[in-house]
Amino acid sequence: MADPGEVPARDGPLTWGQQDIWRAVVAAAPQERYLNIARVFAAPKRPVSVERAALALERLVARHESLRTRLTGPRDAPLQRVWPSACPPYEVVETGPTESGPVGSGPVGSVRAEEVSPVPAEEVSSVLAEQVGERLAAEPFAYWEEWPLRVAFVVAGGYVRHIVLVLCHLAADGHAAELVVKDFRLLLLRDSLPPLRSATPGELAAWQHSPEGKRVSGEAIGFWLEEYARMDPVPPSSHVPGEPRFVEATMRSPALAAAAQEVAARNRVSSSTVLLAGAMRVAGGLTGQRFCGMRVIVNNRFAAGRRDVVSTVSQEALVVLDLRTESFDALVRQAWGAALRAYRQAQYDPYAMEEAVTRVGPGIRSFGCFNDQRLVQEDGQVAALEGKTEVVRTDAMDRNICDFRLHVGGEPGRVEVSCYADTALLPPPGIEQYLLDLEGLIVEAART
């Protein structure tokens, strides 16, 4: 690991988004690796040497403050320390046999492909890069000692073919990760990029701790408390928790992708809204609630000065729906308006929010978290309702801050929905059935 030496650094508070992630880290430690963000992409078609890739990495880190940041201070109240410069390590992974190179100023470490993947040495394969990404993301970051970026260059024939990035969630959310990939691609092609016009994480944190930021936070907390007052109680968990306590199942469904687009087009909303409405309808069937709430991840980049911030800016909005509607289409339209209102109230001090919501009482609470991670939804391009649905168990862990969460991803035409739940709330067969019920609800709505 590179040492920044004696260069001066700047300490400051975490942003609200970083505080949210730190709460999740503490709740899940030492199994918080699930928070790591991995991205794998192909190098440009023009030849890219390792030296050029290393120079692009150096410029990328110089460009984005969050990639030069570590934690400092006590674990229960950490600060972020921003360094003027940093030199993250990277690996060079050859697709064929190679001698391990020394760690240099980069530093560069070479790894034999045979130690990482069975992919033949002569085949330049993205499979190898994906495996390297899984390995690099398999361990939590050392937040006080390690730069928040792990990098590998997959090399064939003397040139870089794939780049692997693993980002610490304290440095980036999903949208920021895509911005980092975009900038890295461009830096591999050119020597520089236009200056950044967005706020830095340090500037954002300073605003959040200003009187104006505190006012915005207070308004959001007031909105949440009003919404909580509308919600019906959630019944207590009735199942004996399993081991591991938290289990994830993932459904891959081309039928759901097409159906969500069909319903979205009919109601002039996004497919994400359709999936949210469906998720809450099925959740209400489990809880017996008429007025049900679900937290939704919002990227909080609506203002021009924050559009390109590389940091953890995303926070949760609270969407509350009256599930007693005459049709699913009516629920979808209600969800569209409720979500738009909630998105405006998704910036707040998470510790102040937690304190305020705790006073409401344990029975009045939202049911889980919804996170649509698709950046391109391909809405309006409706495919045929065909193809095989697959549901598999994909992860398990002992600790987590959230008892129920849904992640939406996948490529166009094939939605991938993951449901992660506390087995005291929903045993594994129930997790799988929840996903199938979600698909069945939306597919049936598309046909009527």
Side-chain angles (χ1 to χ4, degrees):
M1 180 186 306
D3 188 342
E6 299 301 323
V7 295
R10 182 178 74 254
D11 293 352
L14 302 182
T15 67
W16 290 337
Q18 288 175 310
Q19 289 176 25
D20 268 330
I21 294 302
W22 184 245
R23 291 170 64 240
V25 166
V26 172
Q31 298 178 324
E32 75 271 23
R33 64 185 181 279
Y34 81 95
L35 293 166
N36 294 343
I37 301 174
R39 294 291 185 267
V40 175
F41 59 96
K45 292 184 179 180
R46 60 173 290 180
V48 175
S49 66
V50 171
E51 291 74 18
R52 184 172 185 85
L55 181 59
L57 174 61
E58 179 182 328
R59 289 169 172 163
L60 180 76
V61 173
R63 180 175 176 81
H64 294 297
E65 178 180 286
S66 66
L67 304 183
R68 296 178 273 110
T69 302
R70 297 172 179 165
L71 293 188
T72 188
R75 181 178 173 83
D76 59 348
L79 300 173
Q80 56 179 327
R81 173 166 291 178
V82 182
W83 297 90
S85 62
C87 194
Y90 58 84
E91 291 184 5
V92 176
V93 181
E94 302 270 1
T95 58
T98 180
E99 296 181 2
S100 296
V103 174
S105 59
V108 178
S110 295
V111 180
R112 293 179 185 272
E114 294 90 341
E115 298 172 1
V116 182
S117 165
V119 176
E122 68 274 7
E123 181 181 343
V124 179
S125 173
S126 63
V127 174
L128 175 58
E130 292 289 346
Q131 291 178 343
V132 172
E134 291 177 3
R135 174 172 58 81
L136 292 181
E139 295 294 331
F141 278 79
Y143 309 103
W144 273 258
E145 296 84 23
E146 184 180 3
W147 297 121
L149 178 65
R150 297 170 182 162
V151 184
F153 303 136
V154 179
V155 174
Y159 293 106
V160 176
R161 306 298 180 178
H162 292 87
I163 293 91
V164 180
L165 303 179
V166 175
L167 290 149
C168 174
H169 208 338
L170 287 168
D173 51 24
H175 187 86
E178 299 305 323
L179 292 172
V180 169
V181 170
K182 175 186 173 183
D183 282 354
F184 207 158
R185 287 180 186 274
L186 291 172
L187 286 167
L188 290 170
L189 292 170
R190 58 185 74 164
D191 293 331
S192 62
L193 293 176
L196 285 173
R197 298 185 182 276
S198 58
T200 66
E203 291 168 344
L204 183 58
W207 174 84
Q208 290 169 345
H209 286 78
S210 73
E212 175 67 9
K214 292 177 180 178
R215 181 191 64 78
V216 169
S217 177
E219 289 181 357
I221 292 172
F223 172 83
W224 278 56
L225 293 179
E226 290 175 358
E227 293 299 283
Y228 268 96
R230 298 175 53 212
M231 290 164 49
D232 296 321
V234 177
S237 301
S238 58
H239 301 282
V240 176
E243 294 183 3
R245 176 149 186 170
F246 297 88
V247 171
E248 180 188 61
T250 298
M251 176 176 68
R252 300 175 180 90
S253 172
L256 180 59
Q261 291 172 19
E262 173 69 34
V263 177
R266 189 167 68 213
N267 290 282
R268 298 183 179 181
V269 301
S270 68
S271 62
S272 185
T273 301
V274 175
L275 292 167
L276 173 62
M280 294 183 69
R281 171 81 86 187
V282 179
L286 297 174
T287 63
Q289 293 171 287
R290 173 180 174 178
F291 291 94
C292 178
M294 186 170 280
R295 304 185 308 280
V296 181
I297 302 297
V298 182
N299 75 22
N300 283 331
R301 288 177 169 84
F302 308 116
R306 298 181 186 176
R307 197 161 295 146
D308 296 327
V309 174
V310 172
S311 182
T312 301
V313 184
S314 301
Q315 289 187 264
E316 295 175 345
L318 177 61
V319 177
V320 177
L321 298 182
D322 179 356
L323 300 179
R324 192 177 299 173
T325 58
E326 69 274 15
S327 67
F328 184 68
D329 278 12
L331 184 67
V332 167
R333 292 190 293 271
Q334 180 192 158
W336 176 257
L340 289 180
R341 290 191 299 273
Y343 292 169
R344 300 187 185 102
Q345 305 293 343
Q347 297 183 75
Y348 48 84
D349 180 333
Y351 291 100
M353 177 69 79
E354 181 181 26
E355 180 181 353
V357 170
T358 299
R359 292 197 298 266
V360 173
I364 307 297
R365 60 184 178 87
S366 53
F367 188 89
C369 178
F370 177 91
N371 186 12
D372 190 340
Q373 297 178 310
R374 299 172 300 164
L375 294 180
V376 180
Q377 297 179 21
E378 297 290 327
D379 287 341
Q381 300 182 11
V382 182
L385 295 176
E386 59 184 20
K388 183 180 179 181
T389 296
E390 302 172 342
V391 180
V392 295
R393 296 185 191 177
T394 44
D395 201 3
M397 61 190 302
D398 299 313
R399 290 162 53 87
N400 204 293
I401 195 172
C402 185
D403 60 3
F404 185 92
R405 72 172 188 265
L406 287 174
H407 282 181
V408 181
E411 66 276 7
R414 190 176 180 85
V415 167
E416 184 175 286
V417 184
S418 297
C419 178
Y420 216 129
D422 185 344
T423 54
L425 176 70
L426 204 59
I431 298 171
E432 296 167 6
Q433 190 60 50
Y434 178 95
L435 292 169
L436 292 172
D437 289 347
L438 174 63
E439 179 193 50
L441 170 66
I442 297 178
V443 168
E444 180 60 28
R447 290 171 174 163
T448 58

